[in-house]
Amino acid sequence: MMPLIQKILAEAGCGDNPAVQQAVEEACYNQTSFVEAVLDCEGVRERDFLLVLARTLSLAWWEGGGDHPAEPGLRRYLPAEIALRHRLLPVGVQDKGDAEGKPVLHLATFDPLNLVTHQRVASSLNQAVVWHVGQRTRIVEGLQKLYGLGADTFEKILRGRADWGAEEIGDEVTVLDEPEDEEASVVRFVNQIIRRGLEQRATDIHVEPQQDRLRIRYRIDGRLEELPVPENIKSLQASVIARLKIMARLDIAEKRLPQDGRINLEMDGMPIDVRVATIPSVEGESISLRLLSQQAMTISRLGLTDTVKPVVDELLKLPNGIILITGPTGSGKSTTLYAFLSEMNQTHRRIVTIEDPVEYKMPGMVQIAVKPEIGLTFASGLRSILRGDPNVVMVGEMRDLETTEIAIRAALTGHLVFSTLHTNDAIGGITRLVDMGVEPFLVSSAVRAFLAQRLVRKLCPLCKAPAEVESDYLKSIGFPLNVSGQIMRAVGCEACRGSGYQGRLSIYEVVLMTQALQHLINTRAHPAELQKQACQDGYIPMRGYGFQKVLAGETTIEEVLSVTSAGRSFHETAPRLTQPLHLVAA
């Protein structure tokens, strides 16, 4: 090992690390970058190591990060192909800095010993360069913000592009990790968009044509975040959209009507199902992709509290009746349904589902996708299912009176039925069914429970910190003051991209069909009376459930308030609920 390398490793405090020593020896033997080899080792502090490297080589340190963003105008001084391939970030320019009066470019790198990089820069740029050293993570982050995803690809496209047609884009690529021909640059760029979304745990990708640009946004943990893209992407809008439509097997010539399709992908050996929807707009076709991992969902992953888990367990043991999951689009209803079905999926039960579309393929169950164009609707499919001797039936959604009445008849004749409704809360499910035309006595006799849910963001476990909240404020929002626990707040770190949150969790409210509630439904009582009776029967409002998650340190008060309405104050039912909460200090 070279003396200089030994000195740098010793000062960085990792010279005695056997893994580092082995990585450096292999890098020296293979004539590859020892800096990258060290950074890839576990236990090495990236910042400490690179600071020692910069000091040893007498190079300036570039801090980077959110407080030191690179100016957009710096893009023109270094081609994207060189910047992204060698991970060099322009961080500044000094006008008339050299003897010839040419501007001096300041470049940040994490590997200043890479001679290939120096030679490429020297042969490509006709100007002086001042080198800085920065963290690898900060440089990669800065490159994406400055150039946008796939900027090097687009430079190649624009250099050799005449006038591409949609037919020249290439065949469908379903394996995202599979290497592609560099000539199929649009294929590569679209795969980069999807792969990046999967890496960031996005649930949706929106490709939205604007007047002067093509905007791409990811929905991550329920919030939309814009993806930095190259400035010239607008000129290739038609090719990008055509590629997505080809992957979804849609009609690329039809641009006036909405279309739906799906893409089957694979990344790291894991199958990914992508639902695609196109919407014609005045600026071009907008495309939305919903990313559905086929990872099995179990009831343990729902994170049910100790007060709700026993209730759900009892509901899943029922021999018949209807269990309805309510909530708006995107509230996680399907995920909860699949978790319930997964728990019940046993050899002695025959489970049949009818869905639009089938989102998760589950072995051991018969799953049917509706096809209205050939007459296979929820109603017609449900009639056929009941002739097939099922024990458990899942109807994707109760959209109309005919489907609802068939489901109710199934529940009254010995079947356990699961389905969903689009309502704001659990009590709203009762009103919705009656408004659809179902007789109240059928609702009260067939339905066993209404379960409403929302999704809130989970606090990042690496950076969350205790919060101090005024008791008057807690009292005003109905927060339980007589229950132990620790309220936490979001801070933000690199692991959660500065948001303070990582992932999402569900919060629920469950209304059980009691005799008192049945009587009120049969008399067409006002929803406020139904709500009051449900609270007397031990129902915990969704906001109260969310506050339990706050006290457990899993989410924040702000997140719970953002998705729930006040309804009846938690304090109104606190005397009944304080005893079984079993919350302990975090």
Side-chain angles (χ1 to χ4, degrees), residues 484-513:
S484 61
Q486 176 65 67
I487 300 176
M488 308 295 284
R489 62 182 176 88
V491 177
C493 63
E494 290 188 3
C496 59
R497 306 183 315 281
S499 68
Y501 298 92
Q502 197 170 42
R504 289 192 289 177
L505 59 88
S506 300
I507 60 175
Y508 300 94
E509 63 181 19
V510 182
V511 171
L512 299 177
M513 190 62 69

Coordinates of all heavy atoms in Angstrom, one line a residue, residues 484-513:
S484 N -50.5 8.5 29.0 CA -49.0 8.6 28.9 C -48.5 8.4 27.5 O -49.1 7.7 26.7 CB -48.3 7.7 29.9 OG -48.7 6.3 29.5
G485 N -47.4 9.0 27.2 CA -46.8 8.8 25.9 C -45.8 9.9 25.6 O -45.7 10.9 26.4
Q486 N -45.2 9.9 24.4 CA -44.2 11.0 24.0 C -44.6 11.5 22.7 O -44.6 10.8 21.7 CB -42.8 10.4 24.0 CG -41.8 11.4 23.5 CD -41.6 12.6 24.5 OE1 -41.2 12.4 25.6 NE2 -42.0 13.8 24.1
I487 N -44.9 12.8 22.6 CA -45.1 13.5 21.3 C -43.8 13.8 20.7 O -42.9 14.4 21.3 CB -46.0 14.8 21.5 CG1 -47.3 14.4 22.2 CG2 -46.2 15.5 20.2 CD1 -48.2 15.6 22.5
M488 N -43.7 13.4 19.4 CA -42.4 13.7 18.7 C -42.7 14.7 17.5 O -43.8 14.9 17.2 CB -41.9 12.4 18.1 CG -41.8 11.2 19.1 SD -40.5 11.5 20.4 CE -39.0 11.3 19.5
R489 N -41.6 15.2 17.0 CA -41.7 16.2 15.9 C -40.7 15.7 14.8 O -39.8 15.0 15.0 CB -41.3 17.6 16.4 CG -39.9 17.7 16.9 CD -39.6 19.1 17.4 NE -38.3 19.2 18.0 CZ -37.2 19.5 17.3 NH1 -37.3 19.7 16.0 NH2 -36.0 19.6 17.9
A490 N -41.1 16.2 13.6 CA -40.2 15.9 12.4 C -39.0 16.9 12.4 O -39.2 18.1 12.7 CB -41.0 16.1 11.1
V491 N -37.8 16.3 12.1 CA -36.6 17.2 12.0 C -36.1 17.2 10.6 O -36.0 18.3 10.0 CB -35.6 16.6 13.0 CG1 -34.3 17.4 12.9 CG2 -36.1 16.6 14.4
G492 N -35.7 16.1 10.0 CA -35.2 16.1 8.7 C -33.7 15.7 8.7 O -32.9 16.2 9.4
C493 N -33.4 14.7 7.8 CA -32.0 14.3 7.6 C -31.9 13.8 6.2 O -32.8 13.8 5.4 CB -31.7 13.2 8.6 SG -32.6 11.7 8.4
E494 N -30.7 13.3 5.8 CA -30.4 12.8 4.5 C -31.2 11.6 4.2 O -31.7 11.4 3.0 CB -28.9 12.6 4.3 CG -28.1 13.8 4.3 CD -26.6 13.5 3.9 OE1 -26.3 12.3 3.6 OE2 -25.8 14.4 3.9
A495 N -31.4 10.7 5.2 CA -32.2 9.5 5.0 C -33.6 9.7 4.5 O -34.2 9.0 3.7 CB -32.2 8.6 6.2
C496 N -34.2 10.8 5.0 CA -35.6 11.1 4.6 C -35.7 12.3 3.7 O -36.8 12.9 3.6 CB -36.4 11.4 5.9 SG -35.9 12.7 7.0
R497 N -34.6 12.7 3.1 CA -34.5 13.8 2.1 C -35.0 15.1 2.8 O -35.5 16.0 2.1 CB -35.4 13.5 0.9 CG -35.0 12.2 0.2 CD -35.9 12.0 -1.1 NE -37.3 12.3 -0.9 CZ -38.2 11.5 -0.3 NH1 -37.8 10.4 0.2 NH2 -39.4 11.9 -0.2
G498 N -34.7 15.3 4.0 CA -35.0 16.5 4.7 C -36.4 16.7 5.1 O -36.8 17.8 5.7
S499 N -37.3 15.8 4.8 CA -38.7 15.9 5.1 C -39.1 15.6 6.6 O -40.1 16.1 7.1 CB -39.6 15.1 4.2 OG -39.4 13.7 4.5
G500 N -38.3 14.8 7.2 CA -38.6 14.3 8.6 C -39.5 13.2 8.6 O -39.8 12.7 9.7
Y501 N -40.0 12.7 7.4 CA -40.9 11.5 7.4 C -40.3 10.5 6.4 O -39.6 10.8 5.5 CB -42.3 12.0 6.9 CG -43.0 13.0 7.8 CD1 -42.8 14.4 7.5 CD2 -43.8 12.6 8.8 CE1 -43.4 15.3 8.4 CE2 -44.4 13.5 9.6 CZ -44.2 14.9 9.4 OH -44.9 15.8 10.2
Q502 N -40.7 9.2 6.7 CA -40.3 8.1 5.9 C -41.3 7.0 5.9 O -41.5 6.4 6.9 CB -38.9 7.6 6.4 CG -38.2 6.7 5.4 CD -36.8 6.4 5.8 OE1 -36.5 6.1 7.0 NE2 -35.8 6.5 4.9
G503 N -42.1 6.9 4.8 CA -43.1 5.9 4.7 C -44.4 6.5 5.3 O -44.5 7.6 5.7
R504 N -45.5 5.6 5.2 CA -46.8 6.0 5.7 C -47.4 4.9 6.5 O -47.0 3.7 6.4 CB -47.7 6.4 4.5 CG -47.4 7.7 3.8 CD -48.5 8.1 2.9 NE -48.6 7.3 1.7 CZ -49.5 7.5 0.8 NH1 -50.4 8.5 0.9 NH2 -49.5 6.7 -0.3
L505 N -48.4 5.3 7.4 CA -49.1 4.3 8.1 C -50.6 4.6 8.1 O -51.0 5.8 7.8 CB -48.6 4.2 9.6 CG -48.7 5.5 10.4 CD1 -50.0 5.7 11.1 CD2 -47.6 5.5 11.5
S506 N -51.4 3.7 8.4 CA -52.9 3.9 8.3 C -53.4 4.2 9.7 O -52.9 3.7 10.7 CB -53.6 2.6 7.8 OG -53.1 2.2 6.5
I507 N -54.4 5.1 9.7 CA -55.2 5.3 10.9 C -56.6 5.0 10.6 O -57.1 5.2 9.5 CB -55.0 6.8 11.5 CG1 -55.5 7.8 10.4 CG2 -53.6 7.1 11.8 CD1 -55.5 9.2 10.9
Y508 N -57.3 4.4 11.6 CA -58.6 3.8 11.4 C -59.7 4.3 12.4 O -59.4 4.9 13.4 CB -58.6 2.3 11.5 CG -57.6 1.6 10.6 CD1 -56.3 1.3 11.0 CD2 -58.0 1.2 9.3 CE1 -55.4 0.6 10.1 CE2 -57.2 0.5 8.5 CZ -55.9 0.2 8.9 OH -55.0 -0.4 8.0
E509 N -60.9 4.1 12.0 CA -62.1 4.1 12.9 C -63.0 3.0 12.6 O -63.2 2.7 11.4 CB -62.8 5.5 12.9 CG -63.4 5.8 11.6 CD -64.1 7.2 11.7 OE1 -63.8 8.0 12.6 OE2 -65.0 7.5 10.8
V510 N -63.5 2.3 13.6 CA -64.3 1.1 13.3 C -65.7 1.3 14.0 O -65.7 1.6 15.2 CB -63.6 -0.2 13.9 CG1 -64.5 -1.4 13.6 CG2 -62.3 -0.4 13.3
V511 N -66.7 1.1 13.2 CA -68.1 1.2 13.8 C -68.7 -0.2 13.7 O -68.8 -0.7 12.5 CB -69.0 2.2 13.0 CG1 -70.4 2.1 13.4 CG2 -68.5 3.6 13.2
L512 N -69.0 -0.8 14.8 CA -69.6 -2.1 14.8 C -71.1 -2.0 14.8 O -71.7 -1.1 15.4 CB -69.1 -2.9 16.1 CG -67.6 -3.2 16.2 CD1 -67.3 -3.9 17.5 CD2 -67.1 -4.0 15.0
M513 N -71.8 -2.9 14.2 CA -73.2 -2.9 14.1 C -73.8 -3.5 15.4 O -73.9 -4.7 15.5 CB -73.7 -3.7 12.9 CG -75.2 -3.5 12.6 SD -75.6 -1.8 12.2 CE -74.8 -1.6 10.6

